[in-house]
Amino acid sequence: MRFTDSPVVELPVRDAVLSIQQDNGSMHVGTTVWPCSLVLVKFVERWRTRTSSTDPNPYAAALDFTNKRAVEIGAGCGVASMGLHLLGLHDVVVTDIAPVMPALKRNLKRNKSVLGKSLKTAQLYWTKPDQINALSPPFDLVIATDVVYIEESVGPLISAMEALVGDAGVVLLGYQIRSPEAHLLFWELCCRVFDVQKVPHEHLHPDYAYEEADVYMLRKL
């Protein structure tokens, strides 16, 4: 499910609005805005801006971005990184494969005035340990949305997440089933490496709680 076929997707984040240009006609899925990136950003916004003093915030520690280093993998158009930057995640490097980088950089430039800076980017293929090491892991946060869709890429994805996230870090995963085979393999391998916490659907932002999309927090076992 695409969020929309419109060439431009707007996402309000606090008092700002991100404007993301997508290309649904491209052969690369990374040039399209998929719902999970929006769902993840709005989930974080809901709990990062929570002000209740009576109800505890179960995500307070994970979403405390103070002095945190982060990397987004398979970033596509960069929605998640841009949204989380506006929510206080200021040290983030945004990555994807070479064919997607033009769309990513175009959207970062398009939103520079809203972001207040140019976010760092890097090319990353999950199968290339040298590119992973060049990012200087470990990171406190690894961000990944809509990255599980090809069975052959599942193993390298899990290995990349494991190599990138610190022992006390968190993987913020926006997830939707794209391929039954990839889905089964991903969770089989994932549960060998990570403790999996699924965010209850009622904890998602009410305006961005799509039935097909979920948010998970993964921590190393």
Side-chain angles (χ1 to χ4, degrees), residues 148-151 175-185:
V148 182
Y149 52 90
I150 300 174
E151 189 175 6
Y175 187 84
Q176 182 172 345
I177 299 176
R178 299 294 182 188
S179 155
E181 295 79 14
H183 169 73
L184 291 173
L185 181 59

Side-chain angles (χ1 to χ4, degrees), residues 128-191:
K128 296 188 175 181
D130 58 324
Q131 291 184 347
I132 292 174
N133 293 333
L135 295 170
S136 299
F139 289 88
D140 302 295
L141 290 167
V142 173
I143 306 156
T145 66
D146 267 313
V147 291
V148 182
Y149 52 90
I150 300 174
E151 189 175 6
E152 292 74 16
S153 70
V154 167
L157 169 62
I158 298 288
S159 296
M161 292 194 301
E162 183 180 13
L164 288 166
V165 72
D167 289 343
V170 178
V171 178
L172 293 177
L173 176 68
Y175 187 84
Q176 182 172 345
I177 299 176
R178 299 294 182 188
S179 155
E181 295 79 14
H183 169 73
L184 291 173
L185 181 59
F186 176 79
W187 290 114
E188 177 186 341
L189 298 180
C190 193
C191 291

Side-chain angles (χ1 to χ4, degrees), residues 87-146:
L87 293 169
L89 185 60
H90 296 148
D91 186 355
V92 58
V93 57
V94 197
T95 73
D96 212 315
I97 61 174
V100 179
M101 293 302 286
L104 172 59
K105 291 181 177 181
R106 181 170 63 248
N107 277 295
L108 293 178
K109 183 178 180 180
R110 180 184 179 93
N111 290 278
K112 184 178 178 180
S113 62
V114 175
L115 298 170
K117 63 180 289 188
S118 296
L119 301 190
K120 295 175 287 187
T121 62
Q123 182 176 304
L124 177 63
Y125 287 81
W126 304 332
T127 55
K128 296 188 175 181
D130 58 324
Q131 291 184 347
I132 292 174
N133 293 333
L135 295 170
S136 299
F139 289 88
D140 302 295
L141 290 167
V142 173
I143 306 156
T145 66
D146 267 313

Side-chain angles (χ1 to χ4, degrees), residues 20 23 31 47-48 57 94 139 141 143 156 158 168 174 201 204 217 220:
I20 302 100
D23 179 8
T31 63
W47 292 93
R48 280 277 294 169
N57 182 347
V94 197
F139 289 88
L141 290 167
I143 306 156
I158 298 288
H201 221 66
L204 302 179
M217 295 186 179
K220 283 184 175 178

